PDB file of all heavy atoms in Angstrom:
ATOM      1  N   TYR A  94    -144.336 -26.691 -51.683  1.00  0.00           N
ATOM      2  CA  TYR A  94    -144.584 -26.246 -53.048  1.00  0.00           C
ATOM      3  C   TYR A  94    -145.996 -25.696 -53.105  1.00  0.00           C
ATOM      4  O   TYR A  94    -146.834 -26.007 -52.258  1.00  0.00           O
ATOM      5  CB  TYR A  94    -144.452 -27.412 -54.038  1.00  0.00           C
ATOM      6  CG  TYR A  94    -143.030 -27.826 -54.328  1.00  0.00           C
ATOM      7  CD1 TYR A  94    -142.320 -28.589 -53.408  1.00  0.00           C
ATOM      8  CD2 TYR A  94    -142.402 -27.446 -55.506  1.00  0.00           C
ATOM      9  CE1 TYR A  94    -141.002 -28.963 -53.665  1.00  0.00           C
ATOM     10  CE2 TYR A  94    -141.086 -27.815 -55.778  1.00  0.00           C
ATOM     11  CZ  TYR A  94    -140.401 -28.573 -54.851  1.00  0.00           C
ATOM     12  OH  TYR A  94    -139.102 -28.936 -55.105  1.00  0.00           O
ATOM     13  N   ARG A  95    -146.275 -24.905 -54.125  1.00  0.00           N
ATOM     14  CA  ARG A  95    -147.635 -24.464 -54.334  1.00  0.00           C
ATOM     15  C   ARG A  95    -147.970 -24.557 -55.807  1.00  0.00           C
ATOM     16  O   ARG A  95    -147.087 -24.536 -56.667  1.00  0.00           O
ATOM     17  CB  ARG A  95    -147.843 -23.040 -53.823  1.00  0.00           C
ATOM     18  CG  ARG A  95    -147.169 -21.959 -54.649  1.00  0.00           C
ATOM     19  CD  ARG A  95    -147.435 -20.605 -54.030  1.00  0.00           C
ATOM     20  NE  ARG A  95    -146.905 -19.527 -54.859  1.00  0.00           N
ATOM     21  CZ  ARG A  95    -146.993 -18.233 -54.525  1.00  0.00           C
ATOM     22  NH1 ARG A  95    -147.576 -17.869 -53.399  1.00  0.00           N
ATOM     23  NH2 ARG A  95    -146.508 -17.313 -55.325  1.00  0.00           N
ATOM     24  N   GLN A  96    -149.245 -24.667 -56.086  1.00  0.00           N
ATOM     25  CA  GLN A  96    -149.705 -24.758 -57.472  1.00  0.00           C
ATOM     26  C   GLN A  96    -150.848 -23.782 -57.671  1.00  0.00           C
ATOM     27  O   GLN A  96    -151.931 -23.964 -57.093  1.00  0.00           O
ATOM     28  CB  GLN A  96    -150.133 -26.179 -57.822  1.00  0.00           C
ATOM     29  CG  GLN A  96    -150.446 -26.360 -59.300  1.00  0.00           C
ATOM     30  CD  GLN A  96    -150.755 -27.796 -59.676  1.00  0.00           C
ATOM     31  OE1 GLN A  96    -151.137 -28.605 -58.836  1.00  0.00           O
ATOM     32  NE2 GLN A  96    -150.599 -28.123 -60.952  1.00  0.00           N
ATOM     33  N   LEU A  97    -150.591 -22.773 -58.474  1.00  0.00           N
ATOM     34  CA  LEU A  97    -151.637 -21.824 -58.836  1.00  0.00           C
ATOM     35  C   LEU A  97    -152.519 -22.468 -59.906  1.00  0.00           C
ATOM     36  O   LEU A  97    -152.083 -23.377 -60.613  1.00  0.00           O
ATOM     37  CB  LEU A  97    -151.016 -20.522 -59.353  1.00  0.00           C
ATOM     38  CG  LEU A  97    -150.527 -19.520 -58.295  1.00  0.00           C
ATOM     39  CD1 LEU A  97    -149.371 -20.076 -57.476  1.00  0.00           C
ATOM     40  CD2 LEU A  97    -150.166 -18.201 -58.927  1.00  0.00           C
ATOM     41  N   PRO A  98    -153.736 -21.989 -60.029  1.00  0.00           N
ATOM     42  CA  PRO A  98    -154.657 -22.593 -61.010  1.00  0.00           C
ATOM     43  C   PRO A  98    -154.051 -22.643 -62.412  1.00  0.00           C
ATOM     44  O   PRO A  98    -153.484 -21.675 -62.891  1.00  0.00           O
ATOM     45  CB  PRO A  98    -155.866 -21.653 -60.957  1.00  0.00           C
ATOM     46  CG  PRO A  98    -155.821 -21.062 -59.596  1.00  0.00           C
ATOM     47  CD  PRO A  98    -154.376 -20.907 -59.264  1.00  0.00           C
ATOM     48  N   SER A  99    -154.154 -23.801 -63.026  1.00  0.00           N
ATOM     49  CA  SER A  99    -153.713 -24.028 -64.411  1.00  0.00           C
ATOM     50  C   SER A  99    -152.213 -23.808 -64.616  1.00  0.00           C
ATOM     51  O   SER A  99    -151.783 -23.506 -65.732  1.00  0.00           O
ATOM     52  CB  SER A  99    -154.495 -23.126 -65.379  1.00  0.00           C
ATOM     53  OG  SER A  99    -155.865 -23.404 -65.282  1.00  0.00           O
ATOM     54  N   GLN A 100    -151.431 -23.936 -63.564  1.00  0.00           N
ATOM     55  CA  GLN A 100    -149.980 -23.785 -63.690  1.00  0.00           C
ATOM     56  C   GLN A 100    -149.265 -24.993 -63.096  1.00  0.00           C
ATOM     57  O   GLN A 100    -149.865 -25.820 -62.409  1.00  0.00           O
ATOM     58  CB  GLN A 100    -149.511 -22.512 -62.991  1.00  0.00           C
ATOM     59  CG  GLN A 100    -150.028 -21.233 -63.632  1.00  0.00           C
ATOM     60  CD  GLN A 100    -149.363 -19.998 -63.042  1.00  0.00           C
ATOM     61  OE1 GLN A 100    -148.238 -20.057 -62.573  1.00  0.00           O
ATOM     62  NE2 GLN A 100    -150.081 -18.884 -63.069  1.00  0.00           N
ATOM     63  N   GLY A 101    -147.976 -25.068 -63.367  1.00  0.00           N
ATOM     64  CA  GLY A 101    -147.164 -26.102 -62.755  1.00  0.00           C
ATOM     65  C   GLY A 101    -146.838 -25.755 -61.315  1.00  0.00           C
ATOM     66  O   GLY A 101    -146.915 -24.594 -60.921  1.00  0.00           O
ATOM     67  N   PRO A 102    -146.481 -26.755 -60.511  1.00  0.00           N
ATOM     68  CA  PRO A 102    -146.091 -26.463 -59.133  1.00  0.00           C
ATOM     69  C   PRO A 102    -144.900 -25.518 -59.089  1.00  0.00           C
ATOM     70  O   PRO A 102    -144.085 -25.469 -60.012  1.00  0.00           O
ATOM     71  CB  PRO A 102    -145.719 -27.842 -58.581  1.00  0.00           C
ATOM     72  CG  PRO A 102    -146.441 -28.808 -59.451  1.00  0.00           C
ATOM     73  CD  PRO A 102    -146.461 -28.173 -60.806  1.00  0.00           C
ATOM     74  N   GLU A 103    -144.835 -24.791 -57.989  1.00  0.00           N
ATOM     75  CA  GLU A 103    -143.768 -23.809 -57.799  1.00  0.00           C
ATOM     76  C   GLU A 103    -143.122 -24.056 -56.443  1.00  0.00           C
ATOM     77  O   GLU A 103    -143.820 -24.170 -55.424  1.00  0.00           O
ATOM     78  CB  GLU A 103    -144.373 -22.408 -57.856  1.00  0.00           C
ATOM     79  CG  GLU A 103    -143.402 -21.274 -57.591  1.00  0.00           C
ATOM     80  CD  GLU A 103    -144.102 -19.925 -57.562  1.00  0.00           C
ATOM     81  OE1 GLU A 103    -145.302 -19.882 -57.234  1.00  0.00           O
ATOM     82  OE2 GLU A 103    -143.449 -18.916 -57.846  1.00  0.00           O
ATOM     83  N   VAL A 105    -141.531 -23.344 -53.007  1.00  0.00           N
ATOM     84  CA  VAL A 105    -141.695 -22.228 -52.071  1.00  0.00           C
ATOM     85  C   VAL A 105    -140.513 -22.169 -51.114  1.00  0.00           C
ATOM     86  O   VAL A 105    -139.815 -21.158 -51.024  1.00  0.00           O
ATOM     87  CB  VAL A 105    -143.020 -22.358 -51.278  1.00  0.00           C
ATOM     88  CG1 VAL A 105    -143.138 -21.215 -50.263  1.00  0.00           C
ATOM     89  CG2 VAL A 105    -144.226 -22.361 -52.222  1.00  0.00           C
ATOM     90  N   ASP A 140    -151.518 -15.209 -54.075  1.00  0.00           N
ATOM     91  CA  ASP A 140    -151.099 -16.351 -53.258  1.00  0.00           C
ATOM     92  C   ASP A 140    -152.172 -17.439 -53.173  1.00  0.00           C
ATOM     93  O   ASP A 140    -151.943 -18.486 -52.571  1.00  0.00           O
ATOM     94  CB  ASP A 140    -150.748 -15.890 -51.838  1.00  0.00           C
ATOM     95  CG  ASP A 140    -149.480 -15.041 -51.797  1.00  0.00           C
ATOM     96  OD1 ASP A 140    -148.522 -15.384 -52.516  1.00  0.00           O
ATOM     97  OD2 ASP A 140    -149.474 -14.048 -51.045  1.00  0.00           O
ATOM     98  N   ALA A 141    -153.334 -17.181 -53.749  1.00  0.00           N
ATOM     99  CA  ALA A 141    -154.379 -18.214 -53.753  1.00  0.00           C
ATOM    100  C   ALA A 141    -153.910 -19.394 -54.594  1.00  0.00           C
ATOM    101  O   ALA A 141    -153.630 -19.256 -55.784  1.00  0.00           O
ATOM    102  CB  ALA A 141    -155.671 -17.636 -54.330  1.00  0.00           C
ATOM    103  N   ALA A 142    -153.799 -20.550 -53.941  1.00  0.00           N
ATOM    104  CA  ALA A 142    -153.214 -21.710 -54.609  1.00  0.00           C
ATOM    105  C   ALA A 142    -153.422 -22.936 -53.725  1.00  0.00           C
ATOM    106  O   ALA A 142    -153.931 -22.830 -52.602  1.00  0.00           O
ATOM    107  CB  ALA A 142    -151.714 -21.490 -54.836  1.00  0.00           C
ATOM    108  N   VAL A 143    -152.988 -24.084 -54.231  1.00  0.00           N
ATOM    109  CA  VAL A 143    -152.925 -25.283 -53.402  1.00  0.00           C
ATOM    110  C   VAL A 143    -151.492 -25.392 -52.886  1.00  0.00           C
ATOM    111  O   VAL A 143    -150.547 -25.327 -53.671  1.00  0.00           O
ATOM    112  CB  VAL A 143    -153.286 -26.550 -54.194  1.00  0.00           C
ATOM    113  CG1 VAL A 143    -153.228 -27.776 -53.281  1.00  0.00           C
ATOM    114  CG2 VAL A 143    -154.663 -26.414 -54.820  1.00  0.00           C
ATOM    115  N   TYR A 144    -151.355 -25.519 -51.584  1.00  0.00           N
ATOM    116  CA  TYR A 144    -150.042 -25.588 -50.956  1.00  0.00           C
ATOM    117  C   TYR A 144    -149.775 -27.021 -50.499  1.00  0.00           C
ATOM    118  O   TYR A 144    -150.583 -27.624 -49.792  1.00  0.00           O
ATOM    119  CB  TYR A 144    -149.973 -24.628 -49.769  1.00  0.00           C
ATOM    120  CG  TYR A 144    -149.854 -23.194 -50.212  1.00  0.00           C
ATOM    121  CD1 TYR A 144    -150.976 -22.498 -50.660  1.00  0.00           C
ATOM    122  CD2 TYR A 144    -148.634 -22.536 -50.223  1.00  0.00           C
ATOM    123  CE1 TYR A 144    -150.871 -21.190 -51.108  1.00  0.00           C
ATOM    124  CE2 TYR A 144    -148.511 -21.223 -50.656  1.00  0.00           C
ATOM    125  CZ  TYR A 144    -149.638 -20.556 -51.104  1.00  0.00           C
ATOM    126  OH  TYR A 144    -149.530 -19.263 -51.550  1.00  0.00           O
ATOM    127  N   TYR A 145    -148.632 -27.533 -50.899  1.00  0.00           N
ATOM    128  CA  TYR A 145    -148.271 -28.913 -50.596  1.00  0.00           C
ATOM    129  C   TYR A 145    -147.080 -28.949 -49.642  1.00  0.00           C
ATOM    130  O   TYR A 145    -146.061 -28.313 -49.897  1.00  0.00           O
ATOM    131  CB  TYR A 145    -147.875 -29.667 -51.864  1.00  0.00           C
ATOM    132  CG  TYR A 145    -148.956 -29.769 -52.912  1.00  0.00           C
ATOM    133  CD1 TYR A 145    -148.973 -28.908 -53.990  1.00  0.00           C
ATOM    134  CD2 TYR A 145    -149.939 -30.754 -52.824  1.00  0.00           C
ATOM    135  CE1 TYR A 145    -149.949 -29.006 -54.969  1.00  0.00           C
ATOM    136  CE2 TYR A 145    -150.917 -30.865 -53.799  1.00  0.00           C
ATOM    137  CZ  TYR A 145    -150.915 -29.984 -54.863  1.00  0.00           C
ATOM    138  OH  TYR A 145    -151.888 -30.097 -55.829  1.00  0.00           O
ATOM    139  N   PHE A 159    -146.738 -35.970 -53.713  1.00  0.00           N
ATOM    140  CA  PHE A 159    -147.720 -34.933 -53.414  1.00  0.00           C
ATOM    141  C   PHE A 159    -148.955 -35.539 -52.765  1.00  0.00           C
ATOM    142  O   PHE A 159    -149.478 -36.536 -53.226  1.00  0.00           O
ATOM    143  CB  PHE A 159    -148.149 -34.215 -54.700  1.00  0.00           C
ATOM    144  CG  PHE A 159    -147.095 -33.319 -55.295  1.00  0.00           C
ATOM    145  CD1 PHE A 159    -146.097 -33.845 -56.105  1.00  0.00           C
ATOM    146  CD2 PHE A 159    -147.118 -31.952 -55.057  1.00  0.00           C
ATOM    147  CE1 PHE A 159    -145.132 -33.019 -56.658  1.00  0.00           C
ATOM    148  CE2 PHE A 159    -146.153 -31.117 -55.610  1.00  0.00           C
ATOM    149  CZ  PHE A 159    -145.153 -31.647 -56.406  1.00  0.00           C
TER     150      PHE A 159
ATOM    151  N   GLN B 234    -150.795 -35.285 -63.677  1.00  0.00           N
ATOM    152  CA  GLN B 234    -151.935 -34.850 -62.867  1.00  0.00           C
ATOM    153  C   GLN B 234    -153.205 -35.162 -63.640  1.00  0.00           C
ATOM    154  O   GLN B 234    -153.536 -34.469 -64.612  1.00  0.00           O
ATOM    155  CB  GLN B 234    -151.844 -33.368 -62.542  1.00  0.00           C
ATOM    156  CG  GLN B 234    -152.867 -32.905 -61.530  1.00  0.00           C
ATOM    157  CD  GLN B 234    -152.537 -31.506 -60.999  1.00  0.00           C
ATOM    158  OE1 GLN B 234    -152.024 -30.658 -61.721  1.00  0.00           O
ATOM    159  NE2 GLN B 234    -152.844 -31.262 -59.728  1.00  0.00           N
ATOM    160  N   GLU B 238    -157.404 -34.866 -59.701  1.00  0.00           N
ATOM    161  CA  GLU B 238    -156.561 -35.689 -58.838  1.00  0.00           C
ATOM    162  C   GLU B 238    -155.250 -34.979 -58.554  1.00  0.00           C
ATOM    163  O   GLU B 238    -154.949 -33.922 -59.117  1.00  0.00           O
ATOM    164  CB  GLU B 238    -156.285 -37.045 -59.492  1.00  0.00           C
ATOM    165  CG  GLU B 238    -157.503 -37.932 -59.583  1.00  0.00           C
ATOM    166  CD  GLU B 238    -157.140 -39.347 -59.995  1.00  0.00           C
ATOM    167  OE1 GLU B 238    -155.981 -39.745 -59.822  1.00  0.00           O
ATOM    168  OE2 GLU B 238    -158.036 -40.045 -60.498  1.00  0.00           O
ATOM    169  N   GLY B 239    -154.467 -35.559 -57.680  1.00  0.00           N
ATOM    170  CA  GLY B 239    -153.188 -34.959 -57.307  1.00  0.00           C
ATOM    171  C   GLY B 239    -152.089 -35.300 -58.287  1.00  0.00           C
ATOM    172  O   GLY B 239    -152.255 -36.069 -59.226  1.00  0.00           O
ATOM    173  N   LEU B 240    -150.956 -34.688 -58.050  1.00  0.00           N
ATOM    174  CA  LEU B 240    -149.773 -34.929 -58.875  1.00  0.00           C
ATOM    175  C   LEU B 240    -149.123 -36.239 -58.474  1.00  0.00           C
ATOM    176  O   LEU B 240    -148.912 -36.502 -57.295  1.00  0.00           O
ATOM    177  CB  LEU B 240    -148.765 -33.796 -58.664  1.00  0.00           C
ATOM    178  CG  LEU B 240    -149.121 -32.483 -59.314  1.00  0.00           C
ATOM    179  CD1 LEU B 240    -148.732 -31.325 -58.437  1.00  0.00           C
ATOM    180  CD2 LEU B 240    -148.440 -32.383 -60.664  1.00  0.00           C
ATOM    181  N   ALA B 286    -152.665 -33.562 -67.342  1.00  0.00           N
ATOM    182  CA  ALA B 286    -151.584 -32.582 -67.460  1.00  0.00           C
ATOM    183  C   ALA B 286    -150.289 -33.275 -67.070  1.00  0.00           C
ATOM    184  O   ALA B 286    -150.224 -33.930 -66.024  1.00  0.00           O
ATOM    185  CB  ALA B 286    -151.844 -31.386 -66.557  1.00  0.00           C
ATOM    186  N   PHE B 288    -146.363 -32.748 -66.223  1.00  0.00           N
ATOM    187  CA  PHE B 288    -145.406 -31.724 -65.811  1.00  0.00           C
ATOM    188  C   PHE B 288    -144.007 -32.305 -65.750  1.00  0.00           C
ATOM    189  O   PHE B 288    -143.794 -33.416 -65.280  1.00  0.00           O
ATOM    190  CB  PHE B 288    -145.774 -31.157 -64.436  1.00  0.00           C
ATOM    191  CG  PHE B 288    -147.071 -30.408 -64.409  1.00  0.00           C
ATOM    192  CD1 PHE B 288    -148.229 -31.019 -63.959  1.00  0.00           C
ATOM    193  CD2 PHE B 288    -147.129 -29.089 -64.842  1.00  0.00           C
ATOM    194  CE1 PHE B 288    -149.433 -30.330 -63.932  1.00  0.00           C
ATOM    195  CE2 PHE B 288    -148.327 -28.391 -64.824  1.00  0.00           C
ATOM    196  CZ  PHE B 288    -149.481 -29.015 -64.374  1.00  0.00           C
ATOM    197  N   ARG B 308    -150.848 -30.251 -71.597  1.00  0.00           N
ATOM    198  CA  ARG B 308    -152.179 -30.804 -71.355  1.00  0.00           C
ATOM    199  C   ARG B 308    -152.581 -31.673 -72.535  1.00  0.00           C
ATOM    200  O   ARG B 308    -152.791 -31.174 -73.633  1.00  0.00           O
ATOM    201  CB  ARG B 308    -153.177 -29.672 -71.116  1.00  0.00           C
ATOM    202  CG  ARG B 308    -153.085 -29.178 -69.673  1.00  0.00           C
ATOM    203  CD  ARG B 308    -153.462 -27.736 -69.464  1.00  0.00           C
ATOM    204  NE  ARG B 308    -153.279 -27.365 -68.058  1.00  0.00           N
ATOM    205  CZ  ARG B 308    -152.116 -27.007 -67.512  1.00  0.00           C
ATOM    206  NH1 ARG B 308    -151.030 -26.954 -68.245  1.00  0.00           N
ATOM    207  NH2 ARG B 308    -152.031 -26.698 -66.233  1.00  0.00           N
TER     208      ARG B 308
END
Side-chain angles (χ1 to χ4, degrees):
Chain A
Y94 284 77
R95 71 181 185 181
Q96 187 175 22
L97 279 65
S99 300
Q100 295 189 28
E103 176 184 27
V105 177
D140 291 320
V143 181
Y144 285 78
Y145 299 99
F159 289 83
Chain B
Q234 189 167 35
E238 291 191 21
L240 286 142
F288 295 99
R308 279 152 182 83

